[in-house]
């Protein structure tokens, strides 16, 4: 049997898929180790463990492309909205029934309605069914060292990840998550996991792969991640709107990350809402791109922008809001069907 030539070996290596990168020798590793020592108090022995983990990391450049071409960045609303399907609504109802006590407690403590928490779980991971199969070490090493535009963010999350593993006594090579390094049914990045995850079921661990902890942690996230956009108990999220003329008033800002107007401004902008809003209600304008080159309009209220702290893309927040609405509507119909006539 002939041995392959050097050229063939190179070709095999290039096409073999994931490869160990030995990130322990990357030029930015000293910066990472210094940060872990100065900001997180890592000992010399712990830093050696970090270096060893980085030597074990795999380089997965396809993850960078996945992040750059995430559906909420590249699809039309018509395409993205396919996630709000009958199966996801039915599964949401089932999860609400199965974990009713945890959802009720989350609403009592944080004010976030059960259907809204379910909406996040449904869009993120199909209620914990799909939490990601990429090693978080590989995802954050690749993104942190090689992402062309967001490497600073992911580099910071890589440092947070090592702190997370130390705090929870987890081997850095063990957890699996998304292409971006998000973990569990709630898909928290390491910094948010450390800061906002809660041990909701009281078993002594903040385990976001378990739905009780994920439910409580999502509710806490929406209320505490950004106090200026904290969830407002008892307030709605979105209101359907329509153009009163051919188009919006020129220069009207749409799809921002915070409220931009008051409800009293809407007529001058060329919009009318399906339900009346108090004139001083803070609102933003949502314009959704449809496949047929059409546009769909909604008025976003303060709680919509709370959802956007979870993922700053309008399509994501709209999908969560509409899935929650559809779940609530289906629950109402089922309850009415169960009521005895009379």
């Amino acid at each position: 049997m002939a041995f392959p030539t050097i050229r063939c070996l190179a070709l095999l290596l290039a096409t073999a898929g994931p490869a160990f990168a030995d990130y322990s020798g990357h030029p930015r590793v000293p910066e990472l180790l210094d940060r872990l020592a100065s900001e997180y108090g890592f000992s010399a022995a712990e830093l050696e463990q970090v270096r060893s983990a980085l030597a074990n990391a795999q380089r997965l450049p396809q993850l960078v492309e996945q992040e750059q071409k995430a559906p909420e960045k590249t699809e039309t609303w018509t395409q993205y909205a396919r996630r709000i399907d009958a199966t996801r609504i039915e599964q949401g109802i089932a999860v609400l029934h199965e974990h009713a006590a945890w959802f009720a407690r989350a609403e009592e403590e944080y004010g976030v309605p059960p259907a809204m928490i379910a909406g996040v779980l449904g869009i993120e991971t199909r209620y914990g069914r799909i939490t990601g199969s990429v090693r978080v070490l590989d995802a954050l090493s690749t993104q942190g060292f090689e992402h062309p535009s967001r490497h600073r963010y992911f580099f910071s999350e890589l440092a947070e990840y090592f702190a997370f593993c130390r705090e929870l006594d987890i081997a850095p090579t063990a957890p699996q998550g998304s292409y971006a390094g998000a973990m569990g049914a709630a898909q928290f990045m390491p910094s948010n996991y450390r800061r906002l995850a809660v041990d909701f079921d009281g078993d002594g661990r903040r385990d976001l792969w378990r739905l009780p902890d994920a439910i409580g942690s999502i509710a806490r996230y929406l209320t505490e991640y950004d106090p200026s956009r904290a969830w407002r108990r008892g307030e709605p999220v979105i209101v359907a709107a329509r153009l009163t003329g051919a188009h919006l008033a020129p220069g009207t800002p749409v799809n921002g990350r915070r409220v931009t107007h008051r409800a009293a401004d809407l007529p001058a902008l060329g919009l009318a809402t399906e339900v009346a809003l108090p004139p001083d209600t803070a609102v933003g304008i949502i314009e959704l791109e449809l496949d047929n080159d059409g546009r769909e309009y909604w008025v976003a209220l303060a709680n919509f922008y709370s959802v956007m702290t979870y993922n700053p893309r309008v399509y994501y927040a709209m999908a969560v809001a509409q899935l929650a609405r559809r779940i609530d509507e289906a629950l109402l119909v089922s309850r009415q069907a169960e009521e005895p006539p009379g």
Side-chain angles (χ1 to χ4, degrees), residues 160-173 175 194:
E160 291 279 347
Y161 177 65
F162 284 115
F164 157 82
C165 290
R166 181 181 65 174
E167 289 174 1
L168 274 69
D169 193 23
I170 297 174
T173 53
R194 295 184 64 229

Side-chain angles (χ1 to χ4, degrees), residues 239 253-256 258-262 266 269 271 281-287 298-302 304-305:
V239 175
V254 299
N255 298 347
R258 294 181 182 270
V259 296
T260 55
H261 293 83
R262 299 289 168 179
L266 294 176
L269 300 177
L271 281 176
T281 304
V283 300
I285 315 303
I286 304 300
E287 182 181 72
W298 293 77
V299 168
L301 308 179
F304 183 85
Y305 299 99

Side-chain angles (χ1 to χ4, degrees), residues 269-298:
L269 300 177
L271 281 176
T273 55
E274 69 173 5
V275 295
L277 297 171
D280 62 347
T281 304
V283 300
I285 315 303
I286 304 300
E287 182 181 72
L288 303 178
E289 179 186 356
L290 307 179
D291 276 354
N292 60 3
D293 292 329
R295 297 289 186 272
E296 181 178 307
Y297 292 93
W298 293 77

